[in-house]
Amino acid sequence: MLNYVAYENQIDTFLPNSRRGNNNQYCKSLRSEKAKIEAATGIRELATTIGTRYQKINLQSFIRHGSIEFRQHSGTTEFEKIKNWVMFLHNLVDFSKKHRVSESEATFESLQKFNQPEIYNYLYNRRNDLAA
C-alpha cells in the first residue's frame, strides 16, 4: 500500500480524470491515509482504521472475502486495458514484496524498474493520450 501511495500521482496520469485524486467518491485517494498505513501492524488493523471500501485500494474486501480490491481503474470490457492494468498491479505488488519507494523516487520513468517494456509503453502512451 505504501508503494501504491508513493506512485499514486503517477498512476493518476494514465487513468481518466474521473479516477484521479479524489475526483470519484467510490475510489478516494490514499495519500491522506499514509500515516495510518505506516503505523498499522496488520491488514485487519489497517482495514478497520481506514474503515471504508471507497478507497483506491479496498481493504474491507479482505475482511469479507480474503482479497484486496484495487478500485481505481474505471470499468471496461476492453481486453487491452484490462490486461495492462492487471499486469501493472501484479508487477507493482511483486516489486513491493522486496522494495519500498519514497514519493521522490516514484517517478513515471521509475515504473520501468518493475514493468515489462510493453506494459511501460502502454502506460506511457495512455498517459500521453489522456493528457491531450
Side-chain angles (χ1 to χ4, degrees):
M1 283 192 74
L2 288 169
N3 280 351
Y4 197 97
V5 170
Y7 276 109
E8 188 175 320
N9 287 337
Q10 302 309 320
I11 295 168
D12 282 353
T13 67
F14 57 81
L15 293 174
N17 193 42
S18 65
R19 308 305 277 195
R20 296 179 185 178
N22 281 316
N23 291 345
N24 190 305
Q25 67 180 352
Y26 298 109
C27 61
K28 294 291 188 182
S29 173
L30 289 162
R31 294 177 64 80
S32 65
E33 307 293 346
K34 185 177 178 185
K36 292 177 185 177
I37 296 168
E38 289 177 323
T41 58
I43 193 166
R44 289 187 180 279
E45 176 188 343
L46 187 53
T48 303
T49 302
I50 292 177
T52 179
R53 68 182 190 168
Y54 298 123
Q55 302 284 153
K56 290 179 180 176
I57 299 176
N58 171 16
L59 297 178
Q60 297 299 305
S61 64
F62 184 79
I63 293 170
R64 295 184 76 196
H65 309 290
S67 62
I68 295 170
E69 177 187 20
F70 291 86
R71 298 180 62 91
Q72 189 171 2
H73 200 289
S74 52
T76 185
T77 58
E78 293 181 41
F79 177 75
E80 185 176 16
K81 287 180 181 180
I82 297 167
K83 177 190 79 159
N84 285 291
W85 178 245
V86 169
M87 288 302 301
F88 167 75
L89 291 175
H90 168 77
N91 293 338
L92 177 60
V93 169
D94 197 49
F95 174 79
S96 297
K97 289 176 184 176
K98 296 182 181 173
H99 303 91
R100 180 163 171 204
V101 296
S102 67
E103 290 187 40
S104 63
E105 295 171 310
T107 64
F108 192 87
E109 293 72 26
S110 71
L111 294 174
Q112 293 178 83
K113 289 181 185 178
F114 59 88
N115 283 289
Q116 300 84 349
E118 60 272 14
I119 302 299
Y120 178 79
N121 290 336
Y122 172 84
L123 300 175
Y124 179 85
N125 291 331
R126 182 108 170 109
R127 178 182 75 158
N128 289 342
D129 290 345
L130 291 170

